Amino acid sequence: MTDGLERLWTPHRMTYVSGEDRPEGGYDKPGGCPFCLAPGLPAEESLVVARGERVFAVLNLYPYNPGHLLICPYRHVPDYTDLDLAETAELAAFTQTAMRVVRRVSNAHGFNLGMNQGGVAGAGIAEHLHQHVVPRWGGDANFMPVIGRTKVLPQLLTDTRDLFRHAWPS
């Protein structure tokens, strides 16, 4: 007997939920950290949108919303207080640029910005600081994530990456 509900299957999220994609030694060391590895990947394999001198912008592999970016220092540091002044300034400037780019490309109405400092604060990769830039639109929070525990993403990450790369100022 059917319950009349349509299902959106998101099996790719199971890797994240189960922790299957965690490296054997964890994220403590740069060799297993996806934020340390991302800038070195070939462009077609990487979700890196833009690179600065001290930080880079990368799409979140498990986004809360379409266009969810992470601003990461190249240095493998866990805490905001570990950044030097130049890293802090560039992280702030990249966050502002990310907001401008996302508004231009996808007409975001607002943003959630933030850092989860430490595992107890919700950081999935607590060993490498990263600033979340999550675009928001009026009505984007509906029953799907609340009841269905599923987020509907209307665009492939590689397509979003390409749009952002082209819109990011040189």
Side-chain angles (χ1 to χ4, degrees):
M1 180 184 308
T2 180
D3 59 10
L5 296 176
E6 289 187 43
R7 303 272 190 303
L8 293 175
W9 300 102
T10 56
H12 67 281
R13 296 228 5 113
M14 201 60 199
T15 301
Y16 175 71
V17 171
S18 68
E20 289 175 31
D21 62 345
R22 286 183 181 269
E24 209 171 295
Y27 300 127
D28 292 342
K29 306 264 185 287
C33 173
F35 300 140
C36 290
L37 298 172
L41 293 174
E44 64 277 356
E45 293 176 31
S46 171
L47 294 176
V48 173
V49 171
R51 299 164 193 269
E53 203 174 306
R54 294 172 176 83
V55 304
F56 63 96
V58 62
L59 284 170
N60 189 332
L61 186 57
Y62 304 105
Y64 300 141
N65 259 357
H68 179 170
L69 286 164
L70 303 170
I71 312 300
C72 306
Y74 290 108
R75 260 189 338 125
H76 187 85
V77 296
D79 198 84
Y80 189 68
T81 61
D82 294 328
L83 296 178
D84 62 33
L85 291 176
E87 289 167 324
T88 303
E90 192 173 48
L91 186 130
F94 255 60
T95 300
Q96 290 176 325
T97 301
M99 292 172 66
R100 289 182 188 109
V101 166
V102 174
R103 279 191 184 118
R104 185 171 37 246
V105 170
S106 60
N107 197 31
H109 299 150
F111 292 88
N112 290 119
L113 304 174
M115 294 180 212
N116 300 324
Q117 294 284 267
V120 298
I125 301 174
E127 297 80 9
H128 196 134
L129 172 84
H130 51 284
Q131 164 86 19
H132 292 261
V133 179
V134 183
R136 300 300 306 268
W137 295 267
D140 69 4
N142 58 29
F143 72 94
M144 289 301 292
V146 176
I147 296 172
R149 308 230 0 112
T150 300
K151 188 69 180 180
V152 179
L153 300 170
Q155 189 173 56
L156 295 173
L157 289 173
T158 52
D159 293 343
T160 304
R161 175 204 59 207
D162 293 343
L163 288 168
F164 287 176
R165 275 186 185 165
H166 294 301
W168 201 277
S170 306

